[in-house]
Every structure is written in structure tokens, then in C-alpha cells.
Amino acid sequence: EAGVTQSPTHLIKTRGQQATLRCSPISGHTSVYWYQQALGLGLQFLLWYDEGEERNRGNFPPRFSGRQFPNYSSELNVNALELEDSALYLCASSSPGQVTGYEQYFGPGTRLTVT
Amino acid sequence: RKEVEQDPGPFNVPEGATVAFNCTYSNSASQSFFWYRQDCRKEPKLLMSVYSSGNEDGRFTAQLNRASQYISLLIRDSKLSDSATYLCVVNQGTYKYIFGTGTRLKVLA
């Protein structure tokens, strides 16, 4: 069974541009999570989608946004990129429709570099 | 106080040693708990869920102490390949997972 996939693997953008990152969850999973991990730091929760709706949002400015498609894949958009947005962006998925108790499985991440 | 706290380490241990990590959480209503392993510049991988009764998977044992609000991970007979950062994860319900910043383990030959 295929795991969580993310694209692209690497993304280089300049300050002020927009970045779009994509994630496909494990088949059968309807929850998708996005995290940011800056170099040397822990995972910071960004967004949580379930059944096409945004369920929760971390402490990030509105220029971080996303959506979940009917096939449960997801997209993270970062507008007006800043240098400090450079990080590894991780997507995870978990089993359908659960609020608690389900393990998350991570994709390999997209490494975003803003110059 | 942080919602989930871990000793960052590093814990440097010789091969074959037993090592234990703790992770404390502040919200007594936390509902489920997990340990993940993260290798350098890689994604976290689920190591094990932590059940109220404790659980074991080979050389790894996880325990939950709700009264003192911590979870633990014990690794027996450490291998070089166990070197990684171990992340504690707490689910507080209402679509909220909190990750600890991780404990770094180095197993030395």
C-alpha cells in the first residue's frame, strides 16, 4: 500500500512569491495534517483537514492557507513568502473522521527554500 | 509551561545499554499518546501508540502515567540504528495534536 506522498520534494522561491505544496494521503484516510519544521526546531502544527473541511489551524498568519479536495488530497499555499518560511513542510494522514486516538503517517516532506 | 515537554538530550549510550525517556504533558484531559522516531532530515515515523496498560514491541516499551501526566519510552539492548530523535505526541481531542520537540539519542559503538 502506498504511503503519504508529497510534491515537490524541493522548492526554491524568492521572497514575496507564492508556493504551492501538494499531499496525497494514504488510501482510505480522510484526515490530512500539515506541519512546518524549521531547521533544528520541532514540528509546528499548521492545518488539519478532514472530509474536505478545515478543522483546526495552528498559530500561523493567514498567508498560510490550504484546501482539501474531494479525493482527500490536499494543497498548502504560502503567499508573500518570507525568508523565515524556509523549512521542511510535512504532511500526514490518519484514518477517517476521528477526532482522537488515530496515528498519523507522514510523507517525506517538501523542503522549501526562500531566497 | 509547555503543553508537551521532553528533555532534548542528547542521551549518549553504549550499544547494548537500556535507556529511558520521559515526556510530560500539561493537559490532564489529553486522550491519546504516541511515540515517533525521526532521523535527521527525514519525516517522523510512528514507533508506537501508548496504551493505558502499557505496551511492548520487541525492545521497546511504552508506559503512561496519567496521575503524574507523563509517558515513557524504554529501549532495551540499544543498537546503533536506534540513534535518532524520539518525539512524544499527545492528542488533546478536538482536532489537536501536540508534538514535543524531541529527545535525541546517540548509541555509541
Side-chain angles (χ1 to χ4, degrees):
Chain A
E1 182 184 282
V4 177
T5 60
Q6 292 186 247
S7 62
T9 304
H10 293 89
L11 190 57
I12 299 174
K13 294 285 187 177
T14 56
R15 196 167 48 184
Q17 285 188 315
Q18 184 208 29
T20 298
L21 288 64
R22 296 180 177 83
C23 171
S24 291
I26 290 170
S27 177
H29 286 188
T30 63
S31 281
V32 170
Y33 317 79
W34 287 97
Y35 294 88
Q36 181 197 66
Q37 188 172 36
L39 193 62
L41 298 180
L43 273 75
Q44 301 297 314
F45 168 69
L46 270 163
L47 290 160
W48 181 333
Y49 290 97
D50 183 57
E51 295 284 357
E53 292 193 20
E54 183 180 302
R55 303 292 187 178
N56 201 0
R57 180 180 182 88
N59 295 325
F60 281 84
R63 57 190 187 82
F64 287 83
S65 65
R67 53 181 171 163
Q68 187 178 34
F69 299 99
N71 67 353
Y72 305 115
S73 66
S74 178
E75 191 173 271
L76 173 69
N77 295 295
V78 188
N79 294 321
L81 284 165
E82 299 178 4
L83 295 178
E84 53 265 34
D85 296 334
S86 296
L88 179 67
Y89 288 83
L90 291 160
C91 170
S93 73
S94 69
S95 291
Q98 297 297 322
V99 173
T100 66
Y102 277 70
E103 299 94 345
Q104 297 174 66
Y105 295 89
F106 284 83
T110 292
R111 192 162 297 281
L112 173 64
T113 302
V114 183
T115 62
Chain B
R1 183 183 173 188
K2 286 184 182 178
E3 291 179 283
V4 175
E5 289 198 76
Q6 295 184 253
D7 181 339
F11 284 59
N12 296 321
V13 302
E15 268 188 293
T18 295
V19 61
F21 313 131
N22 281 346
C23 165
T24 59
Y25 59 94
S26 60
N27 187 336
S28 59
S30 297
Q31 298 179 18
S32 53
F33 310 86
F34 309 91
W35 283 103
Y36 281 76
R37 169 200 170 121
Q38 186 173 26
D39 294 289
C40 188
R41 298 176 72 84
K42 297 282 191 179
E43 74 273 23
K45 291 190 185 295
L46 178 67
L47 186 61
M48 55 201 308
S49 303
V50 186
Y51 304 125
S52 297
S53 55
N55 46 306
E56 188 174 309
D57 183 3
R59 299 182 292 109
F60 298 84
T61 300
Q63 297 279 352
L64 166 63
N65 186 318
R66 284 197 182 271
S68 300
Q69 293 183 206
Y70 73 88
I71 64 171
S72 63
L73 178 68
L74 180 79
I75 305 175
R76 289 180 296 278
D77 189 22
S78 298
K79 311 289 185 193
L80 293 175
S81 57
D82 293 334
S83 297
T85 296
Y86 290 83
L87 305 173
C88 157
V89 183
V90 174
N91 181 284
Q92 298 181 343
T94 322
Y95 295 101
K96 191 172 185 182
Y97 282 91
I98 308 294
F99 278 73
T101 51
T103 296
R104 196 167 161 210
L105 171 66
K106 288 185 181 179
V107 180
L108 308 171

